[in-house]
Amino acid sequence: MSAIRSQLVPWVWPQTTAKPSPVAEEVSQLFEEFRGAVLRYILSLGLPMQDAEDILQEVFLSLFHHLSKDKPRDNLRGWVFRVGHNLALKRRQSLKPADALPESLLMDPGMNPEEEVAARRERERMLKIVAALPERDRCCLLLRAEGLRYREIAATLNLSLGTVSATLARALSRLQVEPR
Amino acid sequence: MKHHKHYTDEELLCFLDGEGDAAEVIHCWQCRVRMAELEKSVASFVHLKQDVLDVELPSGAGPASLLRARMSMYKPGRRYAPVALVCLLVGLYFVWPERRAVASYLPDQRVTPGATRLIAQDQVCVLSASEDERKPSQEMAKQVFEQYGIRNPQPRQFEVDYLIAPTLGGADDVRNLWPQPYADSVWNSRVKDALEDLLRAKVCKGEMDLAAAQHEMAANWVAAYQKHFRTKVPIEAHALFVKDKPWE
Ligand SMILES: [Zn+2]
């Protein structure tokens, strides 16, 4: 009986009075929670803002379908980042195959006059290293800095846990302040 | 005490990040120092990310309501959902604030793409100070307000500003003008002036192409500022916005 009812309800329910489904509510909340981090991450892959926002919509619509089908809901943050990462790479390929770096990594030497010379130099040194990292290493760092745990990073980039920790350790030791 | 085999960077990082099941105390000073070094790298990367890599994100209100609307169209078994969705999207195209010309510190690209006048690179560098004080005509200002749907602009609310500054070869053209609100952002015209001065200096020193400078101003002057001054927020000296000198 209830099975029939649940089949019928969507047909009968007038659209105008439809309240957001619990899943839609949940996805809206997740959108609010993750939007900034995912958006920053997608931008860091070198995509323009408008494309990044488009991708975000796609990601969360997919999440909505995913959750509507009662699919597993563990590691949702990893799921969101993984779908975002994949869509972003696909979009980037169609936009600009050669240039993978975001603008912020390709800047001219600093011009901020109020900054101390030493601080500016250090920042330039860091930027150079970050720009020279293999993209996978840079992605690991950026995801970790957005708060993702290793298993979430592993899910996003389709790596093993061991690779994530080894990559992070290697990248961090490259960033290390030069010995005086 | 047995000879201790030092931990690898990877093991130390796992301790720091609380990954894996290791929760032991590390007694070895050498390993602890190495740990501190890794922690320092973490700190410098986080600062770099905050100061340089992260750009200012637009408000999420529009995207959030678009998403909500799109989800509400997908009810299982609703056969006409795609049709309804198309209608909704067409509707949203006109309603979604991001899509409409809104007066903000960034102009609407569709209405204000920027326009230049024909000028040679070296001419830019000999432009007189009067270029700096050029003001758009009343007629043009009226047109600009209309395009942005501003009915009764209050005198102290907006400044009709050139997107590509005349000093950088920007044209006296409605497509190069937008109402820049005075109050609602740290990204005010004073900050923009600082960027214009910098880009002009770069062009005149031959460090930058005039066309590139114009393009950067037109595309997103805030991003250009962040890039050239290497800062996420305006430098304090630029941001102190004195609209009128108080003693005048
Ligand atoms: Zn040791």
Side-chain angles (χ1 to χ4, degrees):
Chain A
M1 178 60 204
S2 72
I4 295 170
R5 198 182 131 75
S6 71
Q7 289 271 312
L8 281 176
V9 165
W11 289 95
V12 188
W13 207 312
Q15 193 178 317
T16 41
T17 59
K19 263 179 34 194
S21 70
V23 178
E25 280 286 309
E26 187 185 358
V27 172
S28 287
Q29 266 171 26
L30 291 169
F31 182 80
E32 203 156 293
E33 194 179 330
F34 296 153
R35 174 177 177 268
V38 183
L39 202 53
R40 275 193 298 273
Y41 178 66
I42 292 177
L43 290 170
S44 78
L45 292 171
L47 283 175
M49 183 67 81
Q50 192 59 54
D51 294 86
E53 294 264 32
D54 284 353
I55 288 169
L56 224 64
Q57 291 283 324
E58 280 185 63
V59 170
F60 282 87
L61 269 184
S62 313
L63 178 66
F64 175 67
H65 292 303
H66 179 83
L67 294 181
S68 300
K69 287 178 206 144
D70 273 333
K71 293 267 178 73
R73 38 183 68 233
D74 57 317
N75 205 356
L76 277 188
R77 185 161 60 162
W79 191 97
V80 164
F81 272 90
R82 178 163 57 85
V83 175
H85 175 89
N86 293 340
L87 288 175
L89 289 195
K90 216 188 273 173
R91 177 78 62 107
R92 192 177 72 185
Q93 230 164 21
S94 68
L95 285 180
K96 41 172 185 176
D99 178 11
L101 289 171
E103 279 228 324
S104 49
L105 277 177
L106 301 167
M107 298 189 296
D108 313 340
M111 290 290 297
N112 184 337
E114 295 184 346
E115 203 173 17
E116 275 182 38
V117 182
R120 192 196 309 163
R121 240 182 242 147
E122 169 60 10
R123 196 191 276 177
E124 270 157 31
R125 187 189 67 84
M126 294 267 301
L127 268 175
K128 250 187 229 149
I129 299 173
V130 173
L133 286 176
E135 178 156 50
R136 190 181 77 182
D137 297 19
R138 191 167 49 244
C139 287
C140 276
L141 277 179
L142 288 164
L143 289 166
R144 184 69 190 95
E146 288 297 348
L148 271 68
R149 306 299 304 267
Y150 290 8
R151 66 189 183 101
E152 295 170 315
I153 300 173
T156 303
L157 302 175
N158 203 12
L159 302 170
S160 71
L161 270 181
T163 310
V164 171
S165 56
T167 304
L168 282 172
R170 190 179 53 226
L172 283 175
S173 71
R174 281 204 201 171
L175 287 181
Q176 207 187 322
V177 184
E178 276 166 340
R180 273 154 299 174
Chain B
M1 193 179 153
K2 257 194 295 176
H3 177 71
H4 155 83
K5 186 171 165 287
H6 293 304
Y7 290 106
T8 63
D9 279 359
E10 192 181 341
E11 286 166 330
L12 292 172
L13 187 64
C14 285
F15 289 139
L16 285 171
D17 279 344
E19 299 279 348
D21 37 31
E24 54 190 291
V25 179
I26 295 179
H27 298 282
C28 166
W29 274 18
Q30 221 170 308
C31 284
R32 290 231 303 269
V33 168
R34 183 61 193 152
M35 229 168 169
E37 285 169 355
L38 288 170
E39 199 72 299
K40 215 169 176 183
S41 291
V42 169
S44 19
F45 181 72
V46 168
H47 289 142
L48 182 80
K49 184 173 176 312
Q50 287 169 347
D51 297 346
V52 184
L53 303 183
D54 292 346
V55 294
E56 188 147 316
L57 299 180
S59 145
S65 51
L66 176 63
L67 177 69
R68 236 173 282 127
R70 288 171 82 177
M71 287 190 296
S72 75
M73 302 319 289
Y74 281 103
K75 288 266 155 59
R78 183 164 286 155
R79 201 172 280 173
Y80 296 104
V83 178
L85 178 66
V86 170
C87 297
L88 177 89
L89 287 180
V90 170
L92 268 170
Y93 179 86
F94 294 105
V95 180
W96 192 10
E98 240 92 324
R99 285 288 181 189
R100 182 180 255 179
V102 171
S104 155
Y105 57 88
L106 285 177
D108 186 312
Q109 294 266 331
R110 293 168 309 154
V111 183
T112 318
T116 54
R117 60 188 198 281
L118 211 53
I119 188 170
Q121 184 134 344
D122 43 2
Q123 250 179 300
V124 161
C125 310
V126 294
L127 285 180
S128 64
S130 66
E131 287 296 322
D132 221 7
E133 284 147 25
R134 209 194 270 224
K135 281 259 174 306
S137 68
Q138 284 294 322
E139 188 57 34
M140 273 199 287
K142 222 182 100 193
Q143 236 176 306
V144 170
F145 280 125
E146 251 164 46
Q147 278 183 322
Y148 278 80
I150 298 164
R151 288 272 165 76
N152 294 309
Q154 298 304 303
R156 311 233 127 206
Q157 253 182 337
F158 299 97
E159 175 185 346
V160 175
D161 201 4
Y162 292 95
L163 179 56
I164 302 170
T167 50
L168 276 171
D172 247 328
D173 187 311
V174 241
R175 287 168 306 164
N176 193 37
L177 291 165
W178 96 104
Q180 187 175 25
Y182 266 134
D184 71 18
S185 172
V186 291
W187 297 107
N188 56 48
S189 60
R190 182 75 170 253
V191 174
K192 187 163 172 289
D193 288 346
L195 175 65
E196 284 156 4
D197 290 347
L198 176 69
L199 291 194
R200 188 168 173 224
K202 283 195 169 194
V203 167
C204 296
K205 272 191 257 167
E207 290 170 12
M208 196 179 187
D209 212 37
L210 176 61
Q214 291 171 341
H215 175 77
E216 286 195 19
M217 291 307 294
N220 183 334
W221 72 266
V222 172
Y225 182 98
Q226 290 172 326
K227 171 175 139 186
H228 287 281
F229 287 105
R230 293 209 147 180
T231 170
K232 223 172 90 180
V233 293
I235 295 167
E236 210 175 313
H238 299 163
L240 289 176
F241 183 31
V242 188
K243 196 166 47 183
D244 294 307
K245 288 182 192 132
W247 54 84
E248 275 176 6

